[in-house]
């Protein structure tokens, strides 16, 4: 991602993280025999239904700091629908190659800086145009729902991608509990603002404004594919991946999938979302994955599927709506997707 703010500063994350160095280090780790990268295979072109597909790794080491109820919910998670048959990106990549500007703008900053991120106790405010509003504990928000594993493609606007086995529950279950009013046309999400824990928020020159904000149209939010995730790979979410609760919207560029959520608000005004505010010419509100609409500075026709290296770039074609067109294209019927990018 890059940000071009009024200060005239134009920072590209790939200028901050030397990606080739990062990937070389990964190759070195592999060469040392410490990890065997799985070769991703190209799956079908659309979201698939694989009820038996699971990578749930129950019983793995989980930090003692994670509350028991979270562990129990995660152990009880079952395979959900709409998982892809594509090979998940190894955990070591999913949990070390991250975008989470609150913890730094380099790809390996979040894993280093989120190590002591405190996520318990955690509360979430439900606000705005809904029948039920208030401040709720994480347990109150999550515990009433059965958790599912959903193996989804994640396509970043920077043209790399992964396949991630998330654990979570459909956002539409939260909508049916809190009952947005008919005038609520959008859902707005906000990340924690806590400069004492998040070095990116106390940096002298910030590349984006905080708190990080994202939003969806209410009918998008009600789509079956959108989940609120609390885990991945059968374990609680690591801090760098957005613990304790994050959004996952698999047909949109990754920046819509906001991390470490503290507020969910129903509103009739389209939210001013972080990347759109930062650089409206380059990042739109919709941010649907679309191989036919290029970013002003690079093509979106293909993507680099991680793991990749200097010698094996692992480039694959990007699919319309990230391969989820069958499930979501009805949301955009009649819309000019070049204009509403
Ligand atoms: N949420 C917050 N609060 N801050 C961020 O910087 N980065 C976004 C998104 N959610 C981001 C965020 C971007 S650009 C991407 S690609 C995904 O998180 C990356 O998720 P991952 O690190 O779990 O792969």
């Amino acid at each position: 991602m890059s940000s071009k703010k009024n200060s005239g500063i134009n920072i590209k994350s790939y200028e901050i993280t030397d990606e080739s160095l990062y990937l070389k280090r990964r190759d070195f780790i592999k060469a040392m025999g410490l990890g065997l990268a799985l070769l991703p295979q190209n799956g079908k072109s659309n979201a698939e239904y694989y009820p038996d597909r699971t990578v749930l790794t129950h019983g793995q080491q989980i930090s003692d700091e994670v509350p028991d109820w979270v562990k129990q919910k995660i152990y009880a998670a079952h395979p959900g629908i709409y998982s892809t048959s594509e090979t998940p990106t190894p955990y070591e990549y999913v949990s070390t190659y991250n975008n989470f500007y609150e913890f730094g703008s380099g790809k390996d900053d979040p894993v280093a800086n989120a190590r002591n991120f405190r996520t318990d106790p955690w509360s979430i405010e439900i606000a705005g145009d809904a029948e039920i509003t208030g401040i709720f504990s994480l347990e109150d928000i999550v515990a009433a729902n059965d958790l599912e594993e959903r193996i989804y493609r994640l396509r970043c606007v920077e043209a790399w991608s992964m396949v991630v086995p998330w654990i979570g529950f459909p956002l539409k279950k939260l909508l049916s509990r809190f009952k947005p009013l008919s005038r609520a046309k959008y859902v707005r999400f906000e990340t924690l603002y806590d400069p004492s824990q998040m070095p990116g928020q106390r940096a002298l020159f910030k590349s984006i404004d905080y708190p990080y904000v994202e939003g969806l149209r209410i009918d998008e939010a009600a789509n079956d594919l959108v989940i609120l995730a609390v885990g991945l790979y059968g374990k609680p979410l690591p801090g760098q991946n957005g613990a304790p609760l994050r959004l996952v919207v698999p047909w949109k560029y990754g920046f819509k999938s906001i991390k470490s959520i503290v507020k969910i608000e129903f509103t009739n005004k389209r939210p001013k979302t972080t990347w759109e505010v930062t650089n409206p010419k380059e990042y739109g509100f919709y941010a649907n994955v679309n191989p036919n609409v290029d970013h002003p500075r690079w093509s979106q026709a293909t993507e680099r599927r991680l793991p990749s290296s200097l010698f094996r770039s692992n480039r694959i074609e990007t699919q319309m709506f990230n391969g989820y067109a069958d499930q979501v294209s009805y949301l955009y019927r009649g819309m000019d997707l070049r204009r509403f990018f």
Side-chain angles (χ1 to χ4, degrees):
M1 312 273 300
S2 76
S3 54
K4 211 181 268 171
K5 289 208 345 184
N6 20 6
S7 58
I9 302 169
N10 184 6
I11 307 164
K12 298 185 192 69
S13 58
Y14 58 78
E15 286 171 354
I16 298 163
T17 308
D18 184 333
E19 211 164 89
S20 60
L21 270 184
Y22 176 88
L23 292 169
K24 264 191 205 150
R25 200 172 68 213
R26 294 276 146 218
D27 282 350
F28 175 73
I29 292 169
K30 267 193 279 170
M32 295 298 286
L34 299 176
L36 232 194
L38 301 170
L39 290 180
Q41 65 203 38
N42 288 342
K44 298 180 192 166
S45 62
N46 267 307
E48 301 108 318
Y49 174 44
Y50 281 95
D52 299 329
R53 178 99 176 92
T54 176
V55 295
L56 285 167
T57 47
H58 292 162
Q60 289 206 356
Q61 75 293 11
I62 293 179
S63 152
D64 285 345
E65 279 155 40
V66 173
D68 282 344
W69 71 265
V70 176
K71 293 181 196 166
Q72 279 156 17
K73 289 297 291 184
I74 287 180
Y75 286 153
H78 56 85
I81 59 169
Y82 301 123
S83 284
T84 173
S85 63
E86 288 165 67
T87 304
T89 304
Y91 183 80
E92 62 157 328
Y93 286 81
V94 175
S95 60
T96 61
Y97 187 91
N98 299 103
N99 275 337
F100 199 167
Y101 272 57
E102 287 85 338
F103 290 106
S105 47
K107 292 287 181 283
D108 45 12
D109 287 339
V111 64
N113 294 332
R115 195 163 293 139
N116 300 316
F117 184 38
R118 289 186 305 277
T119 56
D120 181 40
W122 190 272
S123 54
I124 294 153
E125 182 181 356
I126 307 286
D129 297 331
E131 278 182 29
I132 305 169
T133 56
I135 295 175
F136 300 85
S137 68
L138 179 71
E139 184 171 8
D140 192 349
I141 296 283
V142 174
N145 302 284
D146 285 338
L147 299 187
E148 298 173 23
E149 178 171 76
R150 302 261 187 121
I151 308 171
Y152 280 159
R153 289 176 284 274
L154 171 77
R155 168 61 157 87
C156 179
V157 74
E158 296 164 335
W160 53 263
S161 65
M162 300 188 189
V163 175
V164 184
W166 302 106
I167 293 181
F169 64 94
L171 176 64
K172 72 173 186 186
K173 291 209 173 150
L174 184 133
L175 302 187
S176 49
R177 174 170 170 199
F178 293 100
K179 299 185 176 51
L181 305 176
S182 59
R183 68 168 175 270
K185 301 290 183 253
Y186 298 90
V187 192
R188 179 184 179 279
F189 303 87
E190 209 177 283
T191 295
L192 177 71
Y193 181 73
D194 184 356
S196 72
Q197 292 202 75
M198 295 174 143
Q201 293 179 339
R202 53 175 196 266
L204 205 51
F205 298 104
K206 297 177 196 60
S207 37
I208 58 177
D209 286 337
Y210 298 107
Y212 194 102
V213 170
E214 258 310 332
L216 294 172
R217 244 172 36 199
I218 198 109
D219 57 343
E220 295 180 311
N223 183 278
D224 278 344
L225 292 180
V226 186
I227 57 167
L228 285 169
V230 296
L232 54 81
Y233 266 101
K235 299 194 259 192
L237 280 179
Q240 62 271 25
N241 291 94
L245 185 79
R246 72 171 291 168
L247 191 68
V248 180
V249 193
W251 73 92
K252 292 180 180 281
Y253 291 121
F255 67 85
K256 299 294 290 183
S257 292
I258 183 174
K259 297 177 170 181
S260 306
I261 297 168
V262 291
K263 186 172 177 186
I264 300 176
E265 184 180 0
F266 302 102
T267 164
N268 66 355
K269 275 203 216 95
R270 197 172 96 175
K272 292 187 191 320
T273 52
T274 293
W275 281 102
E276 191 188 11
V277 167
T278 306
N279 193 340
K281 291 202 177 106
E282 301 200 345
Y283 307 106
F285 173 80
Y286 279 94
N288 291 316
V289 174
N290 188 340
N292 309 314
V293 177
D294 287 339
H295 186 279
R297 288 178 290 125
W298 58 83
S299 164
Q300 293 292 24
T302 63
E303 65 204 49
R304 195 167 47 83
R305 172 62 57 82
L306 297 180
S308 77
S309 70
L310 277 183
F311 309 105
R312 193 174 57 83
S313 70
N314 212 12
R315 207 153 264 289
I316 59 173
E317 286 188 4
T318 290
Q319 303 178 65
M320 189 64 207
F321 296 118
N322 204 20
Y324 299 98
D326 283 356
Q327 284 73 32
V328 304
S329 51
Y330 73 93
L331 291 164
Y332 310 104
R333 213 159 280 145
M335 272 177 70
D336 178 354
L337 296 179
R338 283 189 180 279
R339 192 166 152 230
F340 298 102
F341 60 95

